Amino acid sequence: MNDLNAIRDSFRKLHPAVQWRNPVMFVTCLGAVLSSASVAVDVAQGRSWGFDLQISLWLWFTVLFANFAEALAEGRGKAQAESLKRARTSTQARRLQGREETRVGAGELRPGDLVVCESGDLIPGDGEVVEGIASVDESAITGESAPVIRESGGDRSAVTGGTKVLSDRIVVRITAGPGHSFLDRMIALVEGAQRQKTPNELALSVVLSGLTIVFILAVGTLKAFADYSAAAAGQDLSGLITVPVLVALLVCLIPTTIGGLLSAIGISGMDRLIRRNVIATSGRAVEAAGDIDVLLLDKTGTITLGNRMATEFLPAPGVQAAELAEAAQLASLADETAEGRSIVILAKERFGLRASQLQPQRARFVPFTAQTRMSGVDLLNEGGETRRAVRKGAGDAVQNWLRERQVSLPREVQQSLEEVARKGGTPLVVAEDARVLGVIALKDVVKGGIKERFAELRRMGIRTVMITGDNPLTAAAIAAEAGVDDFMAQATPEMKLARIREEQAAGRLVAMTGDGTNDAPALAQADVGVAMNSGTQAAREAGNMVDLDSNPTKLIEIVEIGKQLLMTRGSLTTFSVANDVAKYFAILPALFGGLYAFSGGEAGPLSALNIMGLHSPRSAILSAVIFNALIITALIPLALRGVKYRAVGASAILRRNLLIYGLGGLVSPFVGIKLIDVIVAALGLA
Amino acid sequence: MKPTDLFELALFLVLLTALTPPLGAYLHRLFRDTEPVGGPAGAALERFFYRFSEVRPGQGMNWRQYAGALMVFNLLGVLVVFLFQLWQHALPLNPAGLPAVSWHSALNTAVSFVTNTNWQGYAGETTMSHLTQMMALTVQNFVSAATGLAVAVVVARGIARKNTRDLGNFWVDLVRGVLFLLLPASVILGLVLVGEGVVQNFSAATAATTLEGVTQTIPLGPAASQIAIKMLGTNGGGFFNANAAHPFENPTPLSNFLQMLAIFVIPAALTSMYGRMTGSRRHGWVIFGVMAFLFAAFTFLSLWSESVVNPLFGTGSLMEGKETRFGVFNSILFSIVTTAASCGAVNAMHASLSPLSGGLALLNMQLGEVIFGGVGAGLYGMFLFILLTVFLAGLMVGRTPEYLGKKIEAAEMRWVILAIVAPSAMILLGTAISVLTPAGLSSLANGGPHGLSEILYAFTSAAANNGSAFAGLNANTVYYNLMLAAAMFVGRFAVILPVLAIAGGLAAKKQSPSSAGSFEVDTGLFAVLLTGVILIVGGLTFFPVMSLGPIVEHFLLLRGQSF
């Protein structure tokens, strides 16, 4: 179905206004017109026209194949755009004016309007929650079915038009006017309607146009040289050197392969991002992603899992590790924080300790408070008196508690505390009554595989900088474990902004992710700023990409997509230019093979250039044109998929792509043209 | 190829390589900044020129100002050379009483010498007075070379500097190039050449009676002073019509060797200066290596072609038209050197080379004369190819193309394309128009593919600012004088102006530090790529016309057919 639409669009795109945007294909199109006109003249004058017609048809095919590639690339986004549009159209809004509520169409909302949304309502436009909290189904844009929480204030206040409130009631202040909402931008983007040429695409177009001019010169003047040579040899070449043949030579030489696939490559690059749930506001940002030198990454959520986890029990002298673990588990049973749970789990894993069957009436849980900074449990005897008092907490807090019992921390435990802190962890002391049992080490757990990811980035020449609010000691330890190149401890948004400016002043391109309103200036300053969809509206407006999954690790994938986009363009350009060598060896001997052949029937001297041994001059020309057209269709999958990307250094990538697309581009047309020639000759087409 | 020939080629390359770093270091010091060079006396001399002409040496120019100064200076140069020729009959130092030069030949010669081409549609000794040779032509030999040098220096500054519009001062670069490089080097080389027997006097021709009793006119004049700069400045305009094949211009094997070396020495040293100024000396050597490789490869190809047995004679390595005193090898080597560099001096008639050897000389020029090339012109021509290579390959590594930390964007590529297309267009269009018009065809001495080669060679030599001639074509006609003058002018300034614009754009950019992800330009892989791009771009543009000229002639010759 999609393919049928694409075929229809291929013809629609023959419109000169469309072709004009792509100089290479415009020249091809003109050539096809010229060649067809010459067929018409042939027919009118009663000359044989079969060969010229075949050339003309294949020239038209060349243009159509290029159109088809573009239409196919666009078609992939269209289906997504359709479903997005459905979300947009039927929305009704409940606008608040004072205490009055009026029903208006979503299209009538203006920035600043307040609207009410209750469970079951579609949110009518992009905005900021100013009152209330609600769970929202954002699957229409993210594809993620699990509902998310949106609340006023804080970093989760942005809502998107077209998403659905599942529960509760919120008041939203609209921030985007009609036609400028996130959904509108997204639709325009996936449809390719707003597509402008990106800087690199523009530069490449200049080079391709330059090559086209060179070949127009070479082929245009060739007619003069051919006439001179024919006169010098006393021969008549006018039967072979005709307008369709010269046009065929020109079209074979100009870079139609890359010219025809250029926009398909760009569109599918954007499409790859969209399929990873990243919305870029411009193609420029995608390209910039490939150029990134420095990644600023937030520690929490990107480099480490969100929470600290218990990793070790360090018993005090004379205490069994199992005893410490048991007490620690006991103290954490009522602790519902992730840290507390991790202690219970660690004790279970290390010592097979099951959470003991505590009878609620026999235990009094002591919750964590900001004052005591400790939590624990008092086990009671049958009379309700404290039998065992277990506490866990920060070193100084437990020390205070112990001081009441005239006990101080043993020296070994002090050392353990310092040791854990130095390694970037957070130590908790466990004490039972007047006994210090030991230390639990809590640590930020670095995400699995992230170190390898950073190593890859380093090979690609990208430096990673970890941003964290931790103190320098902790930050340094985590930085070392995660393998980042640099870190910023106790970082504030202002420091982030300053760091970005500093890197940029040194000529580097910086990418970062962010979600809070205070990240907005840094997001705007960064060359690539990826805002989390879960973040505030201000952050989403400031960045040039929005990640619908709100996954900060995605930045790495975005960089890869950007690089892949540029690589695909470069590789196909190289391929296209390298192809020309073989085409010369096909067409020039075809045109001039008989030149200066002095005895009749003898092959001319330039037939020595017919190294492919092509059947006849006409079959050689036709084969070259057919190859040139077919190679475009053959490469459409590559253009849509992108050249394979590997995280290795520039030289290795270059060597690989040169071998495949440079050498391959040199050799493959020799094989392809020869094969087509055999078929053309067998079918008696020329 | 005899062992001694191989030894000579090896010695040539070794000497060239050895001279490159010290001279490169000297050039670097000369053009790095405006600090005085050449000791107190040199500094005083330099200051004198600036005070005299009201140049403020510390004042930088942006690219437009630089280009403006350069164009004004060169256009005035055309006017002066033109007028000298028109009025030479009324001016002193004309012992032979030569008449004024025709207006079209004078215009052609004026453009020719100002553009460092030194295409000569006339015979020097019977056309130009001593005054014209010295005050007009030799002066341009110096300043046209210094102009090219200045442009190359500006390219290096464009890379080395960042966030600035200041590219240096044209007048300072010009004065320094002449005063501290070309002039002293020419004096030294001139004296050596005089020692070898090159004439240097103000006499008119002498009449002598030969052994056969015939009276022979032997022209004399201030030759050595012009020969030295004609080689060092890659100008190539001979004092005598026979150029370096004339015994008074090129008397001994040693003078022949030194002259070839002199052609290459400054262009080669510029690669070293470029590496030093841009902070990547390895990159400088990579450029040198690519040039040296192409030079050696073309030399061997040309020698092979020359040795192919000519079925008409049953032997190869024919002596007709070659430098009979120094042999076929030195004729071939000279032909490659002179067309690789933008020199154009010849010691053999290129029309007498075997078809493919002549074709290689043509190809050398069609590639834009980047194999060492003209003084400055070789480097900035190579710079254009480097940008093209970096652009294509840079995309392939997945980044916006970068050259030594400078992003290469649409603006740069637009200028690169203009600079590469303009000379090619002059060559192809000029040749095409000539083979279609009676005015173009009537000057031909030979028919068939050889005739095509003659016209193609003339336009190629002009547009590439080489100046060597293929012989066989009478180019001193109104048609050819004007057409070739246009080709020379476009071939020079439609390259220089874009190059200056690119340098200006690059200097204004910031410089990004290199990383593992950046594209490296100091590796063997880059050298291979650059070589490939030069050959493919040049080859694709000119393969069709070459196939109808030298290539078909080669195959015809194998069948015993000549033209």
Side-chain angles (χ1 to χ4, degrees):
Chain A
M1 191 55 211
N2 194 0
D3 289 2
L4 276 180
N5 284 337
I7 291 171
R8 206 184 52 222
D9 284 348
S10 319
F11 284 95
R12 207 174 277 163
K13 282 172 188 286
L14 285 175
H15 195 284
V18 180
Q19 293 294 318
W20 176 246
R21 286 191 310 195
N22 185 336
V24 179
M25 295 321 291
F26 184 70
V27 169
T28 310
C29 203
L30 275 186
V33 171
L34 208 62
S35 168
S36 308
S38 144
V39 173
V41 173
D42 285 345
V43 174
Q45 298 185 343
R47 281 198 301 263
S48 79
W49 45 269
F51 177 66
D52 287 357
L53 179 68
Q54 288 191 61
I55 288 189
S56 305
L57 282 178
W58 280 105
L59 293 178
W60 284 116
F61 281 143
T62 312
V63 180
L64 287 173
F65 289 162
N67 289 349
F68 179 71
E70 191 181 276
L72 205 59
E74 285 170 351
R76 291 166 133 202
K78 279 209 172 120
Q80 198 169 357
E82 287 307 317
S83 73
L84 289 171
K85 275 181 188 162
R86 273 198 297 280
R88 187 177 56 175
T89 45
S90 57
T91 319
Q92 279 279 316
R94 296 159 61 187
R95 187 163 63 190
L96 266 187
Q97 273 162 332
R99 297 232 156 251
E100 298 263 313
E101 220 184 276
T102 44
R103 287 201 166 263
V104 294
E108 292 168 43
L109 292 174
R110 293 292 175 274
D113 285 353
L114 294 176
V115 294
V116 179
C117 300
E118 280 179 320
S119 57
D121 288 349
L122 278 179
I123 296 173
D126 293 2
E128 196 100 33
V129 180
V130 290
E131 190 187 314
I133 175 167
S135 61
V136 179
D137 172 13
E138 295 195 334
S139 60
I141 54 165
T142 63
E144 176 62 52
S145 57
V148 293
I149 299 295
R150 293 286 177 244
E151 59 187 330
S152 61
D155 287 349
R156 294 157 155 267
S157 60
V159 288
T160 310
T163 57
K164 193 175 185 178
V165 176
L166 292 179
S167 67
D168 305 290
R169 174 182 185 275
I170 48 174
V171 177
V172 174
R173 191 178 54 237
I174 299 295
T175 51
H180 296 93
S181 73
F182 188 64
L183 209 58
D184 291 316
R185 285 213 315 255
M186 207 165 144
I187 292 169
L189 198 81
V190 291
E191 282 188 329
Q194 281 188 343
R195 226 179 84 76
Q196 285 174 327
K197 282 185 177 166
T198 58
N200 272 312
E201 211 175 346
L202 214 59
L204 185 55
S205 295
V206 168
V207 173
L208 296 180
S209 306
L211 285 172
T212 307
I213 294 171
V214 166
F215 290 122
I216 290 176
L217 281 170
V219 174
T221 55
L222 187 61
K223 172 78 177 134
F225 304 139
D227 288 351
Y228 165 90
S229 302
Q235 290 171 309
D236 181 16
L237 295 178
S238 63
L240 197 56
I241 301 177
T242 59
V243 170
V245 167
L246 286 174
V247 169
L249 176 61
L250 175 65
V251 170
C252 283
L253 294 177
I254 62 176
T256 48
T257 312
I258 177 66
L261 295 173
L262 191 56
S263 68
I265 294 171
I267 296 170
S268 60
M270 289 291 253
D271 190 53
R272 273 197 293 281
L273 266 187
I274 291 168
R275 271 185 290 152
R276 281 178 177 76
N277 265 344
V278 177
I279 303 298
T281 51
S282 70
R284 182 184 283 262
V286 186
E287 246 173 32
D291 288 344
I292 289 304
D293 301 292
V294 181
L295 289 185
L296 297 189
L297 297 169
D298 278 323
K299 182 198 81 176
T300 309
T302 312
I303 295 171
T304 62
L305 298 169
N307 303 295
R308 289 158 202 268
M309 310 269 266
T311 53
E312 222 173 337
F313 294 112
L314 303 165
V319 179
Q320 291 297 312
E323 192 184 355
L324 168 64
E326 194 259 351
Q329 193 183 41
L330 209 54
S332 307
L333 278 179
D335 188 351
E336 278 304 317
T337 64
E339 292 177 9
R341 277 200 303 271
S342 76
I343 294 172
V344 175
I345 291 167
L346 186 72
K348 194 163 78 185
E349 278 175 1
R350 287 281 168 86
F351 303 101
L353 294 172
R354 298 251 152 225
S356 28
Q357 304 294 315
L358 284 179
Q359 290 154 325
Q361 64 273 27
R362 291 282 181 83
R364 189 173 61 230
F365 292 108
V366 181
F368 178 87
T369 68
Q371 281 77 40
T372 60
R373 291 187 294 133
M374 280 190 311
S375 61
V377 65
D378 290 338
L379 298 181
L380 309 175
N381 59 21
E382 281 166 20
E385 290 166 346
T386 302
R387 181 166 57 86
R388 270 175 89 187
V390 185
R391 292 290 182 277
K392 73 169 203 294
D396 50 345
V398 176
Q399 204 163 9
N400 286 340
W401 185 72
L402 287 169
R403 201 165 292 140
E404 294 168 18
R405 291 163 173 72
Q406 274 85 41
V407 181
S408 61
L409 287 182
R411 200 166 47 83
E412 288 81 358
V413 173
Q414 286 279 15
Q415 277 171 353
S416 298
L417 280 175
E418 284 162 19
E419 174 81 15
V420 171
R422 199 172 57 245
K423 283 183 183 162
T426 308
L428 294 180
V429 179
V430 180
E432 185 177 340
D433 301 325
R435 255 179 94 206
V436 177
L437 297 179
V439 172
I440 313 170
L442 291 178
K443 258 178 89 177
D444 262 324
V445 178
V446 171
K447 281 186 177 175
I450 199 85
K451 190 166 189 171
E452 290 69 31
R453 228 36 204 287
F454 291 149
E456 271 180 17
L457 286 171
R458 199 168 304 116
R459 279 199 296 278
M460 285 154 57
I462 298 172
R463 281 176 46 243
T464 43
V465 179
M466 182 183 84
I467 312 281
T468 172
D470 291 342
N471 66 57
L473 206 66
T474 313
I478 297 169
E481 190 181 342
V484 292
D485 297 288
D486 197 0
F487 65 90
M488 280 176 76
Q490 288 162 344
T492 60
E494 295 73 39
M495 285 167 70
K496 262 196 212 182
L497 186 62
R499 175 66 181 251
I500 294 174
R501 293 222 168 105
E502 192 183 303
E503 297 279 2
Q504 285 173 336
R508 298 190 187 91
L509 263 67
V510 184
M512 68 166 284
T513 56
D515 50 8
T517 300
N518 53 14
D519 281 334
L523 278 172
Q525 178 72 36
D527 300 283
V528 174
V530 182
M532 300 293 104
N533 189 46
S534 62
T536 59
Q537 194 64 26
R540 294 193 342 188
E541 291 288 329
N544 44 20
M545 291 189 196
V546 176
D547 178 19
L548 300 176
D549 296 343
S550 305
N551 168 11
T553 322
K554 188 113 23 107
L555 195 49
I556 299 172
E557 281 173 54
I558 294 172
V559 168
E560 289 178 0
I561 290 171
K563 285 196 175 294
Q564 202 183 23
L565 179 67
L566 297 177
M567 273 165 56
T568 309
R569 282 198 202 123
S571 300
L572 289 185
T573 305
T574 307
F575 185 86
S576 198
V577 175
N579 268 205
D580 283 354
V581 176
K583 290 168 185 165
Y584 267 141
F585 279 99
I587 296 186
L588 284 181
L591 293 182
F592 302 119
L595 190 67
Y596 296 113
F598 289 104
S599 56
E602 180 203 26
L606 283 182
S607 59
L609 294 179
N610 183 9
I611 52 179
M612 282 177 270
L614 300 179
H615 174 70
S616 72
R618 288 188 158 194
S619 75
I621 295 164
L622 196 58
S623 304
V625 177
I626 294 176
F627 176 84
N628 191 55
L630 290 183
I631 197 74
I632 295 180
T633 41
L635 291 174
I636 288 176
L638 183 72
L640 298 187
R641 197 179 60 230
V643 164
K644 195 167 175 173
Y645 177 77
R646 282 200 194 131
V648 287
S651 321
I653 295 178
L654 181 63
R655 212 172 300 124
R656 180 167 183 275
N657 286 339
L658 261 187
L659 210 63
I660 298 177
Y661 301 99
L663 202 63
L666 214 55
V667 175
S668 63
F670 279 103
V671 180
I673 291 175
K674 175 69 186 172
L675 277 177
I676 295 171
D677 178 74
V678 169
I679 297 169
V680 164
L683 294 177
L685 293 175
Chain B
M1 196 173 179
K2 295 194 292 282
T4 48
D5 296 343
L6 202 60
F7 174 74
E8 185 185 336
L9 182 62
L11 183 69
F12 182 77
L13 282 172
V14 166
L15 279 177
L16 187 67
T17 313
L19 283 169
T20 293
L23 193 53
Y26 176 71
L27 285 169
H28 179 215
R29 213 170 77 76
L30 197 55
F31 291 112
R32 185 177 41 192
D33 44 41
T34 45
E35 289 296 300
V37 283
L45 187 62
E46 201 185 342
R47 268 201 309 279
F48 165 76
F49 280 109
Y50 298 147
R51 200 160 300 156
F52 181 71
S53 49
E54 293 185 9
V55 168
R56 276 184 291 277
Q59 197 172 50
M61 296 175 168
N62 65 31
W63 83 263
R64 286 172 202 278
Q65 292 165 328
Y66 204 100
L70 185 147
M71 286 312 292
V72 166
F73 180 75
N74 278 279
L75 288 173
L76 279 178
V78 172
L79 188 67
V80 168
V81 177
F82 181 64
L83 293 179
F84 258 110
Q85 294 173 81
L86 287 192
W87 297 336
Q88 69 172 2
H89 57 283
L91 293 169
L93 273 179
N94 185 0
L98 295 168
V101 181
S102 70
W103 68 271
H104 50 88
S105 173
L107 179 67
N108 180 286
T109 304
V111 173
S112 167
F113 276 75
V114 168
T115 57
N116 196 254
T117 311
N118 295 25
W119 170 268
Q120 293 167 296
Y122 58 90
E125 60 271 46
T126 55
T127 314
M128 301 296 173
S129 72
H130 290 344
L131 187 75
T132 310
Q133 296 257 28
M134 291 195 309
M135 292 299 288
L137 304 186
T138 307
V139 166
Q140 283 302 325
N141 278 354
F142 280 95
V143 293
S144 69
T147 299
L149 200 59
V151 176
V153 167
V154 165
V155 167
R157 285 187 192 136
I159 301 288
R161 296 180 180 185
K162 52 185 172 185
N163 308 325
T164 176
R165 307 214 164 269
D166 174 8
L167 289 175
N169 187 308
F170 173 70
W171 307 113
V172 173
D173 294 337
L174 187 74
V175 166
R176 291 197 160 194
V178 173
L179 209 55
F180 297 120
L181 177 70
L182 297 171
L183 214 48
S186 299
V187 168
I188 296 168
L189 184 66
L191 286 174
V192 174
L193 290 177
V194 168
E196 286 300 300
V198 178
V199 296
Q200 176 79 3
N201 55 38
F202 286 109
S203 321
T206 311
T209 308
T210 64
L211 289 176
E212 295 153 16
V214 189
T215 311
Q216 186 189 9
T217 314
I218 300 171
L220 297 167
S225 57
Q226 190 179 328
I227 307 312
I229 186 63
K230 117 182 171 191
M231 298 305 181
L232 285 167
T234 61
N235 298 285
F239 191 87
F240 303 106
N241 190 30
N243 210 309
H246 195 290
F248 285 178
E249 277 204 39
N250 188 9
T252 64
L254 181 62
S255 74
N256 190 58
F257 186 82
L258 287 177
Q259 288 186 16
M260 287 192 291
L261 199 60
I263 295 173
F264 269 2
V265 69
I266 296 177
L270 279 171
T271 63
S272 167
M273 178 206 76
Y274 186 68
R276 284 163 205 266
M277 279 180 90
T278 58
S280 175
R281 286 166 73 165
R282 275 170 59 101
H283 179 53
W285 279 115
V286 163
I287 298 176
F288 180 92
V290 169
M291 291 173 164
F293 168 78
L294 284 171
F295 166 68
F298 279 27
T299 305
F300 282 114
L301 263 177
S302 189
L303 284 170
W304 164 80
S305 161
E306 200 59 40
S307 66
V308 166
V309 172
N310 184 331
L312 295 178
F313 299 94
T315 168
S317 302
L318 299 173
M319 285 310 294
E320 184 277 322
K322 308 284 160 47
E323 173 49 89
T324 46
R325 294 168 299 156
F326 310 139
V328 170
F329 174 77
N330 272 307
S331 302
I332 295 297
L333 187 60
F334 205 109
S335 78
I336 294 291
V337 168
T338 196
T339 52
S342 166
C343 183
V346 290
N347 75 355
M349 295 304 113
H350 289 183
S352 300
L353 301 176
S354 69
L356 284 188
S357 297
L360 283 168
L362 261 172
L363 185 61
N364 263 332
M365 297 185 282
Q366 287 164 347
L367 296 181
E369 293 180 340
V370 292
I371 307 171
F372 297 106
V375 168
L379 185 68
Y380 66 67
M382 191 57 118
F383 171 69
L384 295 170
F385 276 112
I386 289 173
L387 290 190
L388 198 59
T389 308
V390 165
F391 185 81
L392 292 177
L395 281 178
M396 268 197 286
V397 305
R399 277 176 78 97
T400 296
E402 255 173 24
Y403 177 50
L404 297 171
K406 301 281 189 172
K407 289 224 178 322
I408 307 301
E409 291 162 300
E412 285 76 33
M413 289 325 288
R414 207 166 284 140
W415 290 117
V416 168
I417 293 295
L418 174 65
I420 289 181
V421 169
S424 302
M426 292 314 284
I427 296 172
L428 288 172
L429 291 175
T431 311
I433 293 170
S434 300
V435 298
L436 290 180
T437 54
L441 290 173
S442 61
S443 290
L444 277 182
N446 303 72
H450 200 79
L452 181 62
S453 297
E454 286 172 5
I455 297 176
L456 179 64
Y457 197 103
F459 280 97
T460 305
S461 176
N465 298 140
N466 183 279
S468 65
F470 205 49
L473 181 77
N474 171 26
N476 198 0
T477 63
V478 179
Y479 173 80
Y480 276 108
N481 274 330
L482 295 184
M483 285 291 278
L484 294 175
M488 289 186 282
F489 195 83
V490 171
R492 178 77 165 175
F493 296 109
V495 178
I496 283 185
L497 293 179
V499 165
L500 290 177
I502 296 169
L506 292 182
K509 292 189 186 202
K510 55 186 181 183
Q511 193 150 30
S512 38
S514 76
S515 72
S518 7
F519 179 67
E520 293 171 332
V521 291
D522 56 359
T523 61
L525 184 63
F526 179 73
V528 173
L529 253 174
L530 180 58
T531 311
V533 167
I534 292 170
L535 290 177
I536 286 183
V537 169
L540 289 179
T541 312
F542 294 104
F543 190 61
V545 64
M546 295 286 268
S547 71
L548 292 178
I551 295 176
V552 76
E553 193 185 350
H554 168 78
F555 286 118
L556 282 168
L557 184 71
L558 293 182
R559 297 180 179 201
Q561 181 81 34
S562 75
F563 292 87

